């Protein structure tokens, strides 16, 4: 990119250099260049509409189309010379077009303003980004559902307060993650549908006096309809905020998954193993294998939540219609898109490669008195009130803690010392399998249920329309 142009080296050095600074300060081409292809797409639709309305003749239209196609090639091959002096992506492309084709290039901006132009570009760009992100999200969900089916009967301790609570199956846990992502996908589809209206024709803020055809440009660009109000069309950035809200919540979910993976891969848990290619070592401690991918995703969630805050604060109190403030929407939005896409990509690659250490999970569930609730429920079935049963089992657990014995390893005699109603059938209840198998209802952790729920989830994913058709 070139240096800002300054007219002379002489005199008024301070004001000269201030001008150059302001030029750079107010420019956006450094970051809005990434809208270039969508800007060209919008311009092609606008030019076609101008030609149909008789505002461009056939030759002018053909010259504009050829010129824009050539610029598209230049950009694609990285031959385009971006100039900070031309402020933003829109003026860079328009200036280049006019330099190539002459006066016809100057007619392209008829009935249009950069205000409706940029609002259109960002929507088109974000729409494509959403489609790519939805595909990665679906890929990750498929991985989780695949793991759930594979590990439907694998027992692990379920936690509350990160203390062993009750046995669950690993597949059930994966499906819990999948539920979060399912809701995220719904929010993404929703956001796409709401952003999919065309600002073109709103011009600077009030519309235009030319006989334009807003339905035509909207349809050309794949928008569902033209935006209904010109003032709102040029100033609305709700769609960017909505997307960042989706993204912040998705990253919050990924940070929760990450935290669990970090715990589970530690020597202390040893529940799962991540393939080496998703980890790094330590330069000093030879034994280390660090779960960098989940750690980084956990870290990046903070930055995406920050971008949501930036956009909310950016729009807060802005009077209608367009304000230069809006130029500040791009960096947070673009970084959110990149971060979310990369985080999903990493997770979607990593999760199918994860292996579980079933014996370690089983041993951990066994050690933590995970079937204490099952014993209480057993006593209730034998006629005891639940609160009394809770008390009895509490005493049994306390004794188990003191002697280092799990409930399932106590003798019948010992157990009967806590309640005479306990019979030999208690051991079926105290086993981990007995515990998970008993929870055989909709949403429960029984392997049979988890297998069914995984099949269901897969069916939903198979039936999922691409957000484009939603
Ligand atoms: N670079 C500007 C932006 O991103 C484009 C719109 C400029 N409009 C204006 N009236 N200065 O918002």
């Amino acid at each position: 990119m070139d240096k800002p142009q300054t007219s002379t080296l002489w005199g008024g050095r301070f004001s000269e250099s201030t001008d150059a600074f302001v030029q750079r300060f107010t420019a956006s081409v450094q970051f809005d260049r990434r809208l270039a292809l969508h800007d060209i797409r919008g311009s092609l639709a606008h030019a076609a509409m101008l030609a149909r309305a008789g505002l461009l003749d056939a030759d002018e239209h053909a010259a504009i189309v050829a010129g824009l196609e050539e610029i598209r090639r230049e950009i694609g091959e990285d031959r385009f010379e971006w100039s900070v002096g031309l402020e933003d992506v829109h003026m860079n492309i328009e200036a280049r077009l006019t330099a190539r084709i002459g006066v016809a290039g100057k007619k392209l901006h008829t009935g249009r303003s950069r205000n409706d132009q940029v609002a259109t570009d960002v929507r088109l760009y974000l729409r494509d980004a959403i489609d790519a992100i939805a595909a990665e999200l679906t890929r990750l969900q498929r991985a989780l559902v695949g793991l759930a089916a594979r590990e439907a009967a694998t027992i692990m301790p379920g936690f509350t307060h990160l203390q062993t609570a009750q046995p669950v199956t690993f597949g059930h846990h994966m499906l819990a993650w999948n539920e979060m992502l399912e809701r995220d996908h719904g929010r993404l589809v929703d956001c796409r549908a709401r952003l999919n209206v065309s600002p073109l024709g709103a011009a600077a803020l009030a519309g235009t006096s030319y006989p334009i055809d807003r339905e035509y440009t909207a349809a050309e660009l794949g928008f569902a309809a033209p935006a209904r109000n010109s003032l709102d069309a040029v100033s609305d950035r709700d769609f960017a905020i909505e997307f960042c809200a989706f993204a912040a919540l998705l990253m919050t979910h990924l940070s929760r998954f990450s935290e669990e993976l970090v715990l589970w891969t530690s020597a202390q848990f040893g529940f799962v193993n991540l393939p080496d290619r998703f980890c790094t070592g330590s330069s000093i401690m030879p034994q280390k294998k660090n779960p960098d991918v989940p750690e980084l995703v956990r870290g990046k969630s903070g930055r995406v939540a920050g971008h949501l805050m930036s956009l909310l604060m950016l729009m807060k109190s802005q009077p209608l219609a367009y304000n230069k403030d809006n130029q500040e929407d791009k960096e947070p939005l673009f970084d959110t898109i990149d971060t979310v896409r990369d985080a999903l990509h990493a997770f979607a690659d990593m999760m199918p490669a994860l292996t579980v250490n079933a014996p370690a999970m089983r041993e951990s569930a066994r050690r933590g008195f995970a079937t204490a609730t099952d014993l209480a429920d057993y006593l209730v079935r034998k006629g005891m009130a639940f609160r009394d049963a809770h008390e009895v089992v509490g005493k049994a657990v306390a004794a188990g803690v003191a002697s280092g014995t799990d409930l399932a390893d106590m003798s019948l005699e010992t157990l009967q010392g806590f309640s005479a109603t306990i019979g030999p059938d208690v051991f079926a209840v105290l086993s981990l399998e007995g515990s998970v198998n008993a929870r055989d209802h909709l949403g429960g952790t029984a392997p049979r249920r988890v297998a069914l729920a995984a099949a269901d989830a897969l069916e939903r994913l198979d039936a999922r329309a691409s957000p484009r058709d939603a």
Side-chain angles (χ1 to χ4, degrees):
M1 203 169 305
D2 63 359
K3 289 245 154 49
Q5 301 112 342
T6 48
S7 45
T8 121
L9 294 173
W10 290 101
R13 186 172 71 112
F14 187 77
S15 66
E16 288 279 306
S17 59
T18 304
D19 283 344
F21 173 77
V22 169
Q23 194 172 51
R24 189 168 276 283
F25 183 71
T26 53
S28 54
V29 66
Q30 308 91 316
F31 48 83
D32 68 15
R33 302 160 49 160
R34 70 151 97 184
L35 297 174
L37 299 183
H38 296 86
D39 188 71
I40 290 173
R41 200 173 155 207
S43 288
L44 286 169
H46 180 66
M49 184 279 291
L50 291 178
R52 283 165 55 96
L55 294 164
L56 290 175
D57 67 31
D59 289 346
E60 289 166 336
H61 180 222
I64 288 173
V65 171
L68 288 173
E69 297 293 2
E70 175 55 25
I71 291 170
R72 175 146 55 192
R73 270 191 296 279
E74 286 176 8
I75 292 170
E77 291 159 16
D78 214 13
R79 287 187 284 117
F80 191 91
E81 280 197 25
W82 298 99
S83 164
V84 174
L86 290 166
E87 195 178 319
D88 58 24
V89 62
H90 323 292
M91 298 212 283
N92 268 265
I93 291 176
E94 191 184 323
R96 176 82 187 112
L97 180 69
T98 300
R100 281 189 65 85
I101 68 170
V103 70
K106 296 188 189 172
K107 293 194 175 181
L108 173 61
H109 214 50
T110 311
R112 184 176 75 167
S113 151
R114 277 187 297 153
N115 296 350
D116 58 344
Q117 188 177 358
V118 70
T120 303
D121 293 2
V122 177
R123 283 171 196 259
L124 289 174
Y125 182 87
L126 181 56
R127 201 176 63 186
D128 279 350
I130 286 175
D131 292 345
I133 286 167
E136 291 290 18
L137 187 51
T138 302
R139 199 161 71 84
L140 172 55
Q141 287 191 255
R142 284 187 179 283
L144 297 183
V145 170
L147 265 177
R150 196 177 86 197
E151 309 294 345
T154 307
I155 291 174
M156 67 181 284
F159 298 94
T160 60
H161 313 267
L162 202 58
Q163 309 288 318
T164 302
Q166 292 172 351
V168 295
T169 53
F170 189 82
H172 197 49
H173 200 111
M174 290 301 102
L175 289 180
W177 287 9
N178 182 56
E179 287 298 320
M180 301 182 207
L181 298 184
E182 185 96 13
R183 291 191 293 274
D184 289 328
H185 185 267
R187 276 182 281 270
L188 185 61
V189 169
D190 212 33
C191 167
R192 189 191 195 280
R194 227 181 330 269
L195 78 70
N196 202 25
V197 294
S198 174
L200 271 190
L205 75 165
T208 172
S209 56
Y210 297 102
I212 56 168
D213 183 347
R214 298 194 61 215
E215 269 81 14
Y216 176 81
T217 40
E220 273 290 292
L221 295 171
F223 286 120
R228 282 189 295 260
N229 180 292
S230 67
L231 294 169
D232 180 54
V234 290
S235 61
D236 167 33
R237 295 294 181 274
D238 292 4
F239 61 93
I241 296 177
E242 257 190 273
F243 173 77
C244 287
F246 145 82
L249 194 41
L250 167 70
M251 291 299 291
T252 296
H253 292 149
L254 294 184
S255 81
R256 297 178 66 185
F257 306 174
S258 295
E259 174 68 9
E260 293 190 323
L261 289 174
V262 169
L263 288 170
W264 292 349
T265 52
S266 69
Q268 287 65 25
F269 278 76
F271 284 6
V272 302
N273 187 44
L274 289 176
D276 290 357
R277 64 182 184 282
F278 294 102
C279 301
T280 62
S282 156
S283 56
I284 173 170
M285 296 166 284
Q287 85 282 13
K288 289 297 283 290
K289 178 172 149 183
N290 298 326
D292 288 47
V293 170
E295 287 176 282
L296 256 183
V297 168
R298 187 177 58 185
K300 284 176 190 287
S301 64
R303 140 175 176 185
V304 171
H307 292 326
L308 170 61
M309 283 307 124
S310 307
L311 288 186
L312 283 168
M313 292 304 105
L314 174 67
M315 294 313 293
K316 181 186 170 301
S317 311
Q318 270 199 48
L320 288 174
Y322 176 85
N323 300 287
K324 183 75 169 178
D325 312 40
N326 289 358
Q327 182 166 291
E328 286 285 305
D329 64 354
K330 291 173 196 61
E331 288 159 295
L333 178 63
F334 293 160
D335 189 67
T336 300
I337 291 169
D338 294 346
T339 306
V340 164
R341 199 173 35 209
D342 288 356
L344 283 172
H345 183 91
F347 254 82
D349 280 355
M350 182 176 69
M351 289 310 292
L354 173 139
T355 53
V356 306
N357 183 352
M361 292 197 285
R362 192 186 172 77
E363 179 51 26
S364 170
R366 217 185 54 77
R367 267 200 323 265
F369 299 94
T371 55
T373 315
D374 296 273
L375 179 55
D377 291 342
Y378 167 88
L379 292 171
V380 168
R381 281 198 298 279
K382 299 265 169 182
M384 197 181 281
F386 182 77
R387 277 295 152 224
D388 293 334
H390 188 287
E391 171 84 15
V392 166
V393 179
K395 288 195 169 123
V397 168
V401 170
S403 63
T405 325
D406 189 65
L407 294 175
D409 297 331
M410 291 180 184
S411 68
L412 181 59
E413 237 180 3
T414 309
L415 287 167
Q416 281 172 337
F418 301 108
S419 166
T421 44
I422 294 178
D425 57 344
V426 74
F427 293 106
V429 159
L430 292 181
S431 78
L432 296 171
E433 277 74 15
S435 173
V436 292
N437 283 328
R439 286 159 172 77
D440 189 3
H441 54 74
L442 181 72
T445 196
R448 197 184 75 88
R449 282 290 170 172
V450 172
L452 288 174
D456 247 27
L458 187 60
E459 227 171 81
R460 279 198 305 279
L461 289 173
D462 286 342
R464 182 177 279 181
S466 102
R468 199 172 289 130
D469 321 310

